[in-house]
Amino acid sequence: RTTMKSLRFISAEAFVSNAEFARKSLGAVAHDLFPLLFKASYLLEQGEVIHDLVENWPLFDFDMGKLLGATLDYQEDLSHRTCSVCLESCLTGLRDYVLNQSSPYTKKLRVVDLTGIKDVEVQFCKCKKTMGRWARTQLLSKLCSELLVYLQQAQCNPGTFEISINVLIDLFVTERNYELVVQALLKKCSCPLKICCVAFRSDNLTLQKFFYIIKLTDTSLLRKLEIVHNVHLEMEHLEILFNNIHFPLLTSLTLPARTFNVRRFTATDEQKLSNIGEKMGEMTQLTELSMSFSILTGRIQKLLSPLKTPLKMLDVSNCSLNHADMAFLANSFHANYLEALDLSGHDIPELYPSTFFKLLSHCSSVLRSLTLEDCNIQDTHVNMLILGLSPCQKLQEFKFIGNPLSSQALKHLFTFLCELPMLKNVEFPVPRDCYPIGITYPIDDASLCRFDHQKYERVAEELNLILLQANREDVKASTPLFGSYDAAVQETNNELGAYLIKSFKETLEKFTTSLNKMS
């Protein structure tokens, strides 16, 4: 699919395609043409031109999302291109904007917004090398520290110290880049480039380091907080966090696995849970909540009833919810606003079929994403599922891998899915008849790949043919056996793997020590 370009954009491409000429001629370019030239340079991956455009940026703001998004001159959105050449050129250009004393332009720049960059699985840039969120965090922190060292050592124009630019960014901190980010945040006051954290994700961090760095970020600006893998945050730590730090603008909260475990609850723990619910109730902007792999049986009401703003996204996958939890969700005011819902890991047909369908009917007019993985949905439940999904005319994404469905049932379901006008992405299970007879669900990791791959390919072709015959080439259907693509995990999987091996080794050593003591 080719996107139309205006004559202005075609001229801009011609101008920046000769990097040497473009760089020499920038001084004669009108200010309002800089955004046009920036997008053209980004499309053509002209790193040197991008650097010089940013170094001499003549406008008050530099918003990556707007600059790379759809424009009248070129409709294609380039914000999902996390091209390493382009992004590195942007950030080093920003550093040199501060240092460049001979620029013909008055330094007007006050805000740089890097939050509009989207990390996606498939990249279209020629260099094929991406710069993900972690690497952007690392590079910006490094440049801020280098900039301070240079300013302290060199004879700079006094005006350089008066430059103050807020750089809005989604930070991603792990053990490996922690020290660098901490240094940049500690010296924020004296650095012309001021890191402003709008979203914060932490993986592979000790609790002590997590608490230290979250205090350094200005949480009054924070809109999204993700505490994900290998941060051992439990309920008492969460209570301390909420009691000591305020998140007035927080819209999205993701908590790590096993934050809550009601099976070990005492009366004190019940009070802590109530306190956490009340603190979340004070977060008047909170509309997205993810608490997967916690044990929350019978406590959803206690946690969610204090919320004053309806949730638009709720992930309670593998949370051992009971009928009372599902009844609360179905009857709560959140139900009418839920745009994304994940109830994976619950035996819906067995435990609460009617309550689930009541919840589905309440959110059907707004629901965009539904995830029902490992929910024991079988062939006999497909007609009921179709009935429940029929009103969900805005559904864009449906994920239901891990359910024991036959290839015949999947074909029946796909025929219906073609009728959902907004649907774009379907993640379906390997058909039950592709696995050996007697396979039990949920399937363990060891058996997950032991299926008839040729038969699966034939069924997948038939399912895609159903989409094709219904003129639904716009729907992507796949079976990601080990879960959906996660840009953050993809970028830091080596560190994550090393951490897991280290944890396993420590556990084995403790076990061996215990055995030796016993003997």
Side-chain angles (χ1 to χ4, degrees), residues 397-408:
E397 182 175 66
F398 181 40
K399 301 177 181 180
F400 59 107
I401 59 172
N403 286 295
L405 291 164
S406 69
S407 33
Q408 206 54 46

Side-chain angles (χ1 to χ4, degrees), residues 143-160:
L143 292 174
C144 287
S145 298
E146 285 175 0
L147 190 56
L148 266 177
V149 170
Y150 184 83
L151 291 176
Q152 284 158 3
Q153 291 173 351
Q155 289 294 308
C156 289
N157 186 326
T160 305

Side-chain angles (χ1 to χ4, degrees), residues 199-340:
F200 184 90
R201 173 170 175 142
S202 69
D203 285 12
N204 299 331
L205 267 191
T206 63
L207 272 178
Q208 190 180 4
K209 287 181 175 179
F210 166 73
F211 271 94
Y212 184 66
I213 198 165
I214 200 72
K215 280 183 178 175
L216 288 181
T217 62
D218 182 358
T219 55
S220 67
L221 301 171
L222 202 64
R223 293 185 176 277
K224 188 171 188 177
L225 176 60
E226 296 169 281
I227 313 162
V228 195
H229 302 290
N230 300 323
V231 181
H232 298 302
L233 185 93
E234 293 184 4
M235 188 174 65
E236 54 267 34
H237 311 126
L238 186 63
E239 188 188 24
I240 293 165
L241 179 71
F242 286 170
N243 281 340
N244 290 282
I245 299 173
H246 295 286
F247 301 92
L249 296 182
L250 199 70
T251 61
S252 179
L253 175 65
T254 299
L255 298 171
R258 294 181 290 281
T259 300
F260 304 100
N261 182 358
V262 304
R263 287 176 191 157
R264 300 201 308 251
F265 266 26
T266 62
T268 313
D269 292 328
E270 294 289 358
Q271 186 54 51
K272 284 178 180 174
L273 190 72
S274 297
N275 293 346
I276 289 167
E278 283 166 20
K279 286 292 177 186
M280 289 202 300
E282 290 170 16
M283 298 172 194
T284 55
Q285 309 287 313
L286 190 68
T287 56
E288 297 181 359
L289 183 59
S290 176
M291 308 181 287
S292 58
F293 290 93
S294 273
I295 298 173
L296 282 165
T297 317
R299 305 305 195 287
I300 285 291
Q301 182 167 358
K302 187 174 271 191
L303 206 50
L304 301 189
S305 59
L307 299 189
K308 297 171 185 70
T309 312
L311 290 172
K312 291 182 181 176
M313 189 283 276
L314 180 63
D315 179 354
V316 280
S317 54
N318 301 283
C319 283
S320 305
L321 302 189
N322 64 14
H323 189 272
D325 295 315
M326 193 60 75
F328 168 77
L329 288 176
N331 295 309
S332 71
F333 77 123
H334 303 291
N336 299 306
Y337 296 88
L338 284 171
E339 294 175 16

Side-chain angles (χ1 to χ4, degrees), residues 28-283:
V29 171
H31 293 190
D32 60 350
L33 289 176
F34 268 65
L36 179 74
L37 294 175
F38 179 80
K39 188 170 182 181
S41 304
Y42 205 95
L43 180 66
L44 299 179
E45 291 173 46
Q46 291 285 53
E48 292 177 327
V49 182
I50 288 171
H51 171 279
D52 287 14
L53 282 165
V54 178
E55 185 184 0
N56 295 286
W57 199 255
L59 307 170
F60 283 102
D61 70 331
F62 179 89
D63 185 331
M64 286 286 274
K66 282 184 186 170
L67 290 166
L68 298 177
T71 54
L72 289 172
D73 290 298
Y74 185 47
Q75 283 290 313
E76 189 168 340
D77 185 348
L78 304 180
S79 61
H80 54 268
R81 292 200 186 190
T82 54
C83 169
S84 186
V85 169
C86 297
L87 290 171
E88 188 166 344
S89 301
C90 272
L91 292 173
T92 53
L94 188 57
R95 174 201 61 196
D96 295 338
Y97 173 91
V98 174
L99 296 175
N100 186 351
Q101 295 171 25
S102 59
S103 173
Y105 298 108
T106 312
K107 293 192 188 295
K108 295 179 183 174
L109 188 59
R110 292 292 172 267
V111 179
V112 171
D113 191 342
L114 304 175
T115 62
I117 303 165
K118 304 177 191 87
D119 295 290
V120 294
E121 187 171 3
V122 181
Q123 285 294 329
F124 294 100
C125 61
K126 291 194 290 286
C127 77
K128 295 289 179 230
K129 190 163 180 269
T130 62
M131 183 184 283
R133 181 176 168 185
W134 186 91
R136 296 194 293 274
T137 300
Q138 165 101 341
L139 182 59
L140 180 63
S141 303
K142 181 168 171 277
L143 292 174
C144 287
S145 298
E146 285 175 0
L147 190 56
L148 266 177
V149 170
Y150 184 83
L151 291 176
Q152 284 158 3
Q153 291 173 351
Q155 289 294 308
C156 289
N157 186 326
T160 305
F161 292 97
E162 289 168 21
I163 295 170
S164 178
I165 302 165
N166 287 333
V167 185
L168 277 56
I169 185 170
D170 298 339
L171 290 180
F172 181 14
V173 181
T174 65
E175 180 67 45
R176 206 154 47 98
N177 66 358
Y178 170 81
E179 291 297 340
L180 202 57
V181 183
V182 163
Q183 288 310 309
L185 291 172
L186 278 171
K187 294 168 183 170
K188 179 179 170 177
C189 291
S190 46
C191 184
L193 297 179
K194 303 190 182 302
I195 294 177
C196 297
C197 179
V198 178
F200 184 90
R201 173 170 175 142
S202 69
D203 285 12
N204 299 331
L205 267 191
T206 63
L207 272 178
Q208 190 180 4
K209 287 181 175 179
F210 166 73
F211 271 94
Y212 184 66
I213 198 165
I214 200 72
K215 280 183 178 175
L216 288 181
T217 62
D218 182 358
T219 55
S220 67
L221 301 171
L222 202 64
R223 293 185 176 277
K224 188 171 188 177
L225 176 60
E226 296 169 281
I227 313 162
V228 195
H229 302 290
N230 300 323
V231 181
H232 298 302
L233 185 93
E234 293 184 4
M235 188 174 65
E236 54 267 34
H237 311 126
L238 186 63
E239 188 188 24
I240 293 165
L241 179 71
F242 286 170
N243 281 340
N244 290 282
I245 299 173
H246 295 286
F247 301 92
L249 296 182
L250 199 70
T251 61
S252 179
L253 175 65
T254 299
L255 298 171
R258 294 181 290 281
T259 300
F260 304 100
N261 182 358
V262 304
R263 287 176 191 157
R264 300 201 308 251
F265 266 26
T266 62
T268 313
D269 292 328
E270 294 289 358
Q271 186 54 51
K272 284 178 180 174
L273 190 72
S274 297
N275 293 346
I276 289 167
E278 283 166 20
K279 286 292 177 186
M280 289 202 300
E282 290 170 16
M283 298 172 194

